[in-house]
Amino acid sequence: MQIYRSWLFKKEFPILCETCLGPNPYLRMMKEKYGQECKICNRPFSVFRWCPGTGMRYKKTEICQTCSKIKNVCQTCLLDLEYGLPVQVRDSALKINDEIPKSNVNKEYFNQQVEKEFAEGDGTVAYGQIGKMKEKNEMLTKLTRKAPYYKRNLPHICSFWVKGECKRGEECPYRHEMPNDPEDPLSQQNIRDRFYGINDPVADKLFKRIQDLTKDEKFKASGEKMTSESNRIENNDSYKLTPGLPGVLPMPSSDFKNDFFNLGSKSSESLKAQSTKKTTDNKKSFKPY
């Protein structure tokens, strides 16, 4: 059993999200042992390269498994594995303050200590404060996508086609589309900022969406409160006399509202019928001396 575990540990299957893996269940990966350095800790690691599906670009792992386990993120897109959101949004919602050193010497020592903890554990619990969370956050679950977003795996835009110089036509592996506004903040994303949760433009966009959701919830709650109060008032309302009109029988307030406009002018003949009925009864019972 120990030999099987050591062999499984040497396999080093990448830590990836469902979107980066793609819809193809029969996936073939190419592995290059110590083929690239991690873009966070600058240590060499085994790089995996694969194609998620037809019409998609080849993807590869960008960070090592140690850095991925520390933040519980995908090795390719660096989004959270549970919610599929940026680290900055997740940490702010869950109030996580995991300080990771950024200098080379401190990063090396920190990674060594973390790897010792991973070796002692079974690997089923996330590192740090994320592993201690027992319940899911409601706001994060609302922001999560219900299905994988495979459009993120589409090829990049062909720079030659934008210049009008692409001669490949339909055989070109890149997209023939006009790019977005270069001043758009989403076009300027940094992998280190996303990992550390600092100045992430995607997170700023989601923060605005969170504000809109909170405003909608407050508006709905205030509307429900007003409707419940109005229903309670109508149910508890008793029969009332119409002020300033002598000889009119008492009637419910709902009928009183229907019989008058906002300015108090009569709109129906229910009051007239009741008042005439009362006067005729009084005339019949009247006896002269």
Side-chain angles (χ1 to χ4, degrees):
M1 190 69 179
Q2 293 180 354
I3 298 173
Y4 174 75
R5 285 181 179 178
S6 62
W7 173 79
L8 188 64
F9 181 75
K10 290 180 182 178
K11 292 284 288 185
E12 290 184 356
F13 191 82
I15 302 172
L16 302 171
C17 62
E18 190 175 356
T19 303
C20 291
L21 281 173
N24 187 10
Y26 306 102
L27 195 64
R28 180 178 295 179
M29 288 189 177
M30 294 173 283
K31 178 183 177 182
E32 185 179 1
K33 193 173 183 180
Y34 303 116
Q36 190 178 356
E37 67 176 14
C38 176
K39 294 185 178 180
I40 304 299
C41 63
N42 300 328
R43 297 190 304 174
F45 73 104
S46 299
V47 180
F48 290 85
R49 190 169 180 267
W50 71 98
C51 182
T54 56
M56 300 181 182
R57 70 177 187 274
Y58 274 86
K59 307 194 77 173
K60 64 177 182 177
T61 52
E62 303 291 344
I63 61 174
C64 63
Q65 286 194 1
T66 305
C67 294
S68 174
K69 291 177 182 178
I70 290 172
K71 285 288 187 178
N72 194 31
V73 294
C74 174
Q75 284 187 260
T76 302
C77 63
L78 272 74
L79 296 177
D80 183 68
L81 293 172
E82 185 175 358
Y83 298 103
L85 299 172
V87 178
Q88 187 175 356
V89 178
R90 181 199 66 189
D91 291 351
S92 62
L94 300 177
K95 298 180 181 179
I96 297 174
N97 295 321
D98 285 337
E99 296 182 358
I100 299 176
K102 297 182 181 180
S103 63
N104 294 330
V105 179
N106 292 334
K107 278 193 296 185
E108 186 66 27
Y109 177 77
F110 179 76
N111 289 336
Q112 290 177 3
Q113 298 299 320
V114 170
E115 286 176 353
K116 288 181 182 179
E117 293 183 10
F118 290 155
E120 294 174 358
D122 55 355
T124 58
V125 182
Y127 174 78
Q129 299 180 14
I130 305 173
K132 300 178 183 178
M133 299 288 178
K134 297 181 179 180
E135 296 181 357
K136 291 187 177 181
N137 189 278
E138 294 182 1
M139 184 58 66
L140 294 179
T141 50
K142 290 179 182 179
L143 294 174
T144 6
R145 293 183 181 273
K146 305 301 180 184
Y149 186 67
Y150 294 127
K151 290 183 179 180
R152 201 169 65 202
N153 301 332
L154 291 175
H156 295 292
I157 296 174
C158 180
S159 59
F160 291 95
W161 184 84
V162 175
K163 299 175 184 177
E165 299 176 358
C166 183
K167 299 179 181 179
R168 294 183 178 181
E170 296 181 355
E171 297 180 356
C172 183
Y174 299 96
R175 282 187 296 162
H176 286 181
E177 296 178 5
M178 292 301 296
N180 296 329
D181 188 7
E183 297 181 357
D184 187 7
L186 294 177
S187 60
Q188 300 174 359
Q189 300 183 25
N190 189 359
I191 192 170
R192 287 180 176 270
D193 292 342
R194 174 163 292 182
F195 181 81
Y196 290 109
I198 302 170
N199 299 327
D200 192 354
V202 181
D204 295 338
K205 184 179 179 181
L206 289 173
F207 283 140
K208 294 179 181 178
R209 187 179 174 188
I210 290 172
Q211 292 178 358
D212 296 338
L213 287 173
T214 52
K215 288 180 181 178
D216 293 340
E217 289 178 356
K218 290 180 180 178
F219 182 76
K220 289 180 181 178
S222 61
E224 290 176 357
K225 186 177 180 181
M226 291 175 65
T227 52
S228 62
E229 288 180 357
S230 61
N231 293 332
R232 182 176 59 81
I233 292 170
E234 289 181 358
N235 294 330
N236 296 333
D237 202 357
S238 59
Y239 284 86
K240 297 180 181 179
L241 288 172
T242 56
L245 294 175
V248 179
L249 293 175
M251 57 187 301
S253 61
S254 59
D255 296 338
F256 179 75
K257 293 177 182 177
N258 294 330
D259 291 331
F260 283 86
F261 286 107
N262 294 329
L263 298 177
S265 60
K266 287 187 287 185
S267 61
S268 64
E269 297 181 356
S270 61
L271 288 175
K272 292 181 180 179
Q274 294 180 5
S275 60
T276 52
K277 184 178 180 181
K278 181 68 176 180
T279 52
T280 52
D281 294 337
N282 291 335
K283 287 181 180 179
K284 290 179 181 180
S285 60
F286 178 74
K287 295 180 180 180
Y289 292 104

